[in-house]
Amino acid sequence: MFVPVVDRAQTPLMPTTPSRARRWVRRGEATPFWKRGIFCVQLNREPSDRKTQDIAMGVDPGSKKEGLTIKSEVHTFLNIQADAVTWVKDAVETRRNM
């Protein structure tokens, strides 16, 4: 789990770990806030670096299962495997028979 980080101008920076975010808030180096139900921190000082990593999203729409992954070169941020809908074939057949 990661905590999103923004600078004073609300420009997104690289996310950080929850322990580092707590430490920044305790020291007064960051201000916590909620944005759309997600806990974030805003740095009160100039960030040490402004590099960002590219993030890619992959979707695998299978017939029985669907997969979704959000990943950078270093971290996997989200990896979901869900059951696909299976009632469509039966509904189409029922409609055809009627």
Side-chain angles (χ1 to χ4, degrees):
M1 185 166 122
F2 292 95
V3 177
V5 180
V6 296
D7 64 1
R8 291 182 198 153
Q10 296 293 320
T11 305
L13 303 170
M14 288 299 296
T16 188
T17 59
S19 61
R20 183 177 289 167
R22 281 193 303 270
R23 189 172 44 226
W24 286 345
V25 171
R26 203 175 323 122
R27 291 180 185 168
E29 296 178 8
T31 304
F33 69 97
W34 291 85
K35 185 173 185 178
R36 296 184 184 159
I38 298 174
F39 178 76
C40 307
V41 292
Q42 178 181 5
L43 285 178
N44 297 333
R45 59 174 172 77
E46 191 61 31
S48 61
D49 198 1
R50 291 192 177 271
K51 291 182 186 173
T52 57
Q53 294 177 0
D54 291 332
I55 295 177
M57 181 175 131
V59 178
D60 179 20
S63 62
K64 305 276 188 219
K65 299 256 186 206
E66 296 175 346
L68 174 75
T69 300
I70 300 175
K71 184 170 176 48
S72 71
E73 287 185 22
V74 180
H75 298 287
T76 300
F77 294 105
L78 181 69
N79 196 6
I80 296 175
Q81 185 176 2
D83 292 329
V85 293
T86 57
W87 55 265
V88 176
K89 180 180 177 183
D90 297 333
V92 169
E93 184 178 350
T94 303
R95 185 176 65 193
R96 186 180 336 120
N97 291 338
M98 293 180 127

